[in-house]
Amino acid sequence: MLSERRLQVLRAIVQDYVGTEEPVGSKALTERHNLGVSPATVRNDMAALEDEGYIAQPHTSAGRIPTDKGYRLFVDKLAGVKPMTAPERRAIQNFLEGAVDLDDVVARTVRLLAQLTRQVAVVQYPSLTRSTVRHVELLALAPARLMLVLITDTGRVEQRVVDCPAPFGEASLADLRARLNSRVANRRFTDVPSLVEDLPEAFEHEDRGTVSTVLSTLLETLVEENEERLMIGGTANLTRFGHDFPLTIRPVLEALEEQVVLLKLLGEAQDPGVTVRIGHENAHEGLNSTSVVSVGYGSGGEAVAKLGVVGPTRMDYPGTMGAVRAVARYVGQILAES
Amino acid sequence: MLSERRLQVLRAIVQDYVGTEEPVGSKALTERHNLGVSPATVRNDMAALEDEGYIAQPHTSAGRIPTDKGYRLFVDKLAGVKPMTAPERRAIQNFLEGAVDLDDVVARTVRLLAQLTRQVAVVQYPSLTRSTVRHVELLALAPARLMLVLITDTGRVEQRVVDCPAPFGEASLADLRARLNSRVANRRFTDVPSLVEDLPEAFEHEDRGTVSTVLSTLLETLVEENEERLMIGGTANLTRFGHDFPLTIRPVLEALEEQVVLLKLLGEAQDPGVTVRIGHENAHEGLNSTSVVSVGYGSGGEAVAKLGVVGPTRMDYPGTMGAVRAVARYVGQILAES
DNA sequence: GCCTGGCACTCTGCGCGTGCGAGTGCCAGC
DNA sequence: GCTGGCACTCGCACGCGCAGAGTGCCAGGC
């Protein structure tokens, strides 16, 4: 195992490198952190750390930079989560409280996260599958065409147009609307299928086809995984990425455009707390030089969706983790209130 | 006025520069376009074009590149809109027809535009102010708390939570819902205020406060300009921008994050056809080295919103204009069907 | 056994001078 | 008014040398 001092050296390297963006040498280290030993000693420690794969040199006789493995150790053992200060917390709360609807909550959260962390922010809309139904509305667009509107407890709204196999009277419509709501209101999405399966039987034979169609559209809407939406922001922060820029930034922007990739990215993190995925730990190739810091958030005790940031592996982990955690907490509160 | 040949020279310069991204010299011009004159003559023409401000040299003794003014002349006089080929049109239609709801239509449109033009695509959601009301729904969340849901003819849904000054009974709620819908359904948003202003008078005294609150929330929702939403995509295309990259791309990304800026950008174009704003013609400073190609689209004959692309001033104007126009047309069709 | 100072070595980055090539402007001639 | 020719101007790529930062290793000291 690594001695205490070597861990300190690693910590110092990570901190300095994150601050300066430049490979850090033994002399600079002893000057900026009082490790109580000479540069030569630090050099020995560095050599050991390099053997173990925690740091690397870009070229011979340059300073060292942390590897993914080095960052991993730093995050797991050497650094805590830096809590937000009281004024910061107030600012977060104030900013989020001004939101008028769910879209606005998500939009504000994205802006906030991007500003706080100076990185790219990703916020998933509250998931359908883990929410409950607040109301189902049915509107007649035409004799044989309905609009189905689904409203969730988190304020999310989904709508679908339903083409009916046969004309559907206003009375039947009102009946279906009432029955549907009495069964599913305030129930979890996952319970809905079993709650409505016998519903067609309550209707006249000629209406059953339509009722079934409506129900299957409803169920589709509930399960449709790829309808998971998300919002991103702060892409301008990518320009602070590094010097060798176009090559690095391109795949990241491309990855960010792929909703699927992002959802998978957020989805991978199963930890109840803040999750950090560093460099090559990310499955997606374009994100191999980035780290993703994410966490679940929710209106109750349970997470209904995730949010996080994407930034260079060389990032301020404690600060970022603190910001992500704090924002998630307040968003949860806001959602619970509305 | 410029002679016919000088216009041809300008056209050739624009085409070559767009293709190669490099300043174009007199010799290369005569080789690639058969202008029927010698390089020396072209040089004279170039000098004249430069005097008039249509082209410029990055440094002495380099080739020429078009100025904003040069592009403007090119777009106005020298180039048409390049129509899409039949297979392209079919592809557009097929791609858009798979959409399940309005969000999906907009999302697909963004992807499509970004792919076709290889630039950044911006699509505005159908505007509220120019749409008509399909349905207004009121839900009781709590005795003195309602949710107002507004559904438009373009399938857009807006919701607001309303805190009532007094508890509001189920009967009153049903009454208000019915009256509201009978008055505003299928009416234009702009007509709504006058249609509902006397509505509180139809209610018992104790309910009037609530009715007024609901109405004012409804009106707010209708006029709220900054609730105009939009979606952008294809930002990865920014990496093809140029060599001097970080400096150029940064302000563009920042501008793209500002919804307000983008909305203004699209809003400025009042022309019924495709509008092109080149370089400094854009009010926003960060977009001084970009051009914006935009057009209105709508479900009927009338435009309900705009869409467009943002790219370097050095872009393929005819092709981009063709793509933008074609996409707008098909989106309009899709919206009219749903 | 571990730390330290010293020393030789190895790179990278930068400033500088040079040569080349592309492109221009101008001029005399057709 | 077009053309060929010519001298001129730059920017850029290349090669060179130097300084500076950082390393690895070794011998000596606590």
Side-chain angles (χ1 to χ4, degrees):
Chain A
M1 261 298 78
L2 291 169
S3 74
E4 181 58 29
R5 195 189 58 228
R6 289 190 176 162
L7 292 177
Q8 276 188 31
V9 170
L10 177 57
R11 176 194 283 132
I13 291 174
V14 171
Q15 288 171 349
D16 274 23
Y17 183 60
V18 166
T20 63
E21 300 193 31
E22 269 167 23
V24 16
S26 54
K27 197 174 156 208
L29 259 197
T30 53
E31 281 166 5
R32 301 179 37 160
H33 307 259
N34 46 354
L35 298 167
V37 291
S38 78
T41 309
V42 171
R43 281 206 284 283
N44 287 330
D45 292 343
M46 284 171 135
L49 286 168
E50 184 163 8
D51 282 345
E52 303 281 338
Y54 294 111
I55 55 179
Q57 339 185 36
H59 13 256
T60 334
S61 79
R64 306 303 216 288
I65 61 175
T67 60
D68 288 355
K69 189 178 171 190
Y71 285 123
R72 169 52 59 201
L73 185 62
F74 176 80
V75 168
D76 289 347
K77 301 275 159 60
L78 301 177
V81 176
K82 186 170 148 214
M84 299 270 97
T85 65
E88 283 171 327
R89 303 169 73 109
R90 263 200 304 282
I92 293 174
Q93 200 163 13
N94 285 341
F95 186 69
L96 290 180
E97 268 174 0
V100 298
D101 64 5
L102 181 68
D103 271 325
D104 200 22
V105 170
V106 174
R108 280 168 184 254
T109 306
V110 165
R111 291 181 78 105
L112 190 60
L113 257 184
Q115 276 177 22
L116 284 174
T117 63
R118 307 205 48 176
Q119 275 150 196
V120 180
V122 182
V123 178
Q124 192 180 359
Y125 277 70
S127 147
L128 291 181
T129 47
R130 272 169 273 182
S131 312
T132 62
V133 179
R134 181 176 277 162
H135 185 77
V136 178
E137 183 58 32
L138 282 171
L139 306 175
L141 301 183
R145 199 168 215 196
L146 304 178
M147 174 177 256
L148 174 71
V149 181
L150 179 69
I151 303 174
T152 80
D153 61 336
T154 49
R156 181 163 166 180
V157 179
E158 289 290 321
Q159 82 265 22
R160 288 285 183 286
V161 172
V162 184
D163 281 310
C164 314
F168 199 61
E170 187 57 44
S172 307
L173 186 67
D175 189 18
L176 178 57
R177 185 189 293 135
R179 285 175 189 268
L180 209 47
N181 275 295
S182 73
R183 296 210 185 185
V184 303
N186 300 317
R187 306 304 291 258
R188 319 187 102 252
F189 281 18
T190 42
D191 300 336
V192 169
S194 61
L195 291 167
V196 298
E197 64 185 342
D198 62 339
L199 208 49
E201 293 160 24
F203 285 80
E204 300 288 329
H205 194 271
E206 72 223 39
D207 284 342
R208 283 189 192 167
T210 296
V211 172
S212 302
T213 310
V214 169
L215 291 181
S216 61
T217 305
L218 176 63
L219 298 185
E220 255 172 47
T221 310
L222 294 178
V223 298
E224 206 152 300
E225 264 325 308
N226 53 2
E227 247 308 306
E228 301 276 20
R229 287 178 52 204
L230 35 78
M231 193 178 278
I232 77 172
T235 45
N237 290 326
L238 285 176
T239 52
R240 302 183 310 114
F241 223 79
H243 335 70
D244 51 342
F245 216 93
L247 294 167
T248 333
I249 208 179
R250 178 87 199 247
V252 178
L253 273 173
E254 276 170 358
L256 291 176
E257 298 241 324
E258 291 293 330
Q259 306 245 333
V260 191
V261 170
L262 284 178
L263 287 167
K264 210 182 276 174
L265 211 64
L266 292 176
E268 277 173 358
Q270 289 306 338
D271 204 296
V274 178
T275 305
V276 181
R277 315 211 109 229
I278 298 166
H280 291 79
E281 295 170 10
N282 292 306
H284 189 81
E285 201 175 335
L287 298 174
N288 276 348
S289 56
T290 65
S291 288
V292 180
V293 177
S294 60
V295 69
Y297 70 90
S299 48
E302 197 183 3
V304 294
K306 304 238 168 84
L307 56 78
V309 304
V310 178
T313 49
R314 165 188 45 68
M315 71 163 67
D316 168 19
Y317 289 97
T320 305
M321 291 167 79
V324 167
R325 192 178 64 181
V327 170
R329 196 170 294 165
Y330 285 108
V331 175
Q333 284 185 15
I334 298 289
L335 287 181
E337 286 167 17
S338 65
Chain B
M1 263 295 80
L2 291 167
S3 74
E4 181 58 29
R5 196 190 56 228
R6 290 192 174 160
L7 292 177
Q8 275 188 33
V9 169
L10 177 58
R11 176 194 283 134
I13 291 174
V14 170
Q15 287 171 350
D16 274 22
Y17 183 60
V18 166
T20 63
E21 303 192 26
E22 268 166 24
V24 13
S26 56
K27 198 177 157 206
L29 259 197
T30 52
E31 280 165 6
R32 302 177 37 160
H33 307 260
N34 45 354
L35 298 168
V37 293
S38 79
T41 309
V42 171
R43 280 206 284 282
N44 288 331
D45 293 343
M46 283 171 135
L49 286 168
E50 185 163 7
D51 281 346
E52 303 281 337
Y54 294 111
I55 57 179
Q57 339 187 38
H59 13 257
T60 334
S61 77
R64 306 302 216 288
I65 62 175
T67 59
D68 289 353
K69 189 177 171 191
Y71 285 122
R72 169 53 59 202
L73 185 61
F74 177 80
V75 168
D76 289 346
K77 301 273 159 61
L78 302 177
V81 176
K82 188 172 148 212
M84 298 271 97
T85 64
E88 283 171 328
R89 303 169 73 108
R90 263 200 303 282
I92 293 175
Q93 200 163 13
N94 286 341
F95 186 72
L96 290 180
E97 268 174 0
V100 298
D101 64 5
L102 181 68
D103 271 325
D104 201 22
V105 170
V106 175
R108 280 167 184 256
T109 306
V110 165
R111 290 182 78 105
L112 190 59
L113 257 186
Q115 276 177 23
L116 284 174
T117 62
R118 307 205 48 177
Q119 275 151 197
V120 180
V122 182
V123 178
Q124 192 180 0
Y125 277 70
S127 147
L128 291 181
T129 46
R130 270 168 275 181
S131 311
T132 62
V133 178
R134 181 175 277 161
H135 185 78
V136 178
E137 183 57 31
L138 281 171
L139 306 175
L141 300 182
R145 199 167 214 199
L146 303 177
M147 175 177 256
L148 174 71
V149 180
L150 180 69
I151 303 173
T152 80
D153 61 336
T154 50
R156 180 162 166 180
V157 179
E158 289 290 320
Q159 81 265 22
R160 288 286 183 285
V161 173
V162 185
D163 280 309
C164 314
F168 199 61
E170 188 56 44
S172 308
L173 187 66
D175 189 19
L176 177 56
R177 185 189 294 136
R179 285 174 188 269
L180 210 45
N181 276 294
S182 72
R183 297 210 183 184
V184 303
N186 301 317
R187 306 304 291 259
R188 318 188 105 252
F189 281 20
T190 40
D191 301 335
V192 170
S194 60
L195 290 167
V196 298
E197 64 186 342
D198 62 338
L199 207 50
E201 293 160 23
F203 285 80
E204 301 287 327
H205 194 270
E206 72 223 41
D207 284 342
R208 285 191 190 165
T210 296
V211 171
S212 301
T213 310
V214 169
L215 291 182
S216 61
T217 306
L218 175 63
L219 298 185
E220 255 171 47
T221 310
L222 295 178
V223 298
E224 205 153 302
E225 263 324 308
N226 54 1
E227 247 308 307
E228 300 276 19
R229 288 178 53 204
L230 36 79
M231 194 177 280
I232 76 172
T235 45
N237 290 326
L238 285 176
T239 53
R240 303 183 310 112
F241 223 78
H243 334 71
D244 50 344
F245 218 92
L247 293 168
T248 333
I249 209 179
R250 178 87 199 246
V252 178
L253 273 173
E254 277 170 358
L256 291 176
E257 297 240 327
E258 292 293 332
Q259 306 246 335
V260 191
V261 171
L262 283 178
L263 287 168
K264 210 181 279 175
L265 212 61
L266 292 176
E268 277 173 359
Q270 289 306 338
D271 203 297
V274 178
T275 305
V276 180
R277 313 210 110 229
I278 298 166
H280 291 79
E281 294 171 10
N282 292 305
H284 189 80
E285 201 176 335
L287 298 174
N288 276 348
S289 57
T290 66
S291 287
V292 180
V293 177
S294 61
V295 69
Y297 71 90
S299 48
E302 198 183 2
V304 295
K306 304 236 167 87
L307 56 78
V309 304
V310 178
T313 49
R314 166 190 44 67
M315 70 161 71
D316 168 18
Y317 289 97
T320 305
M321 290 166 80
V324 167
R325 192 179 62 181
V327 170
R329 196 170 293 165
Y330 285 108
V331 175
Q333 285 184 16
I334 298 288
L335 287 181
E337 286 166 16
S338 65

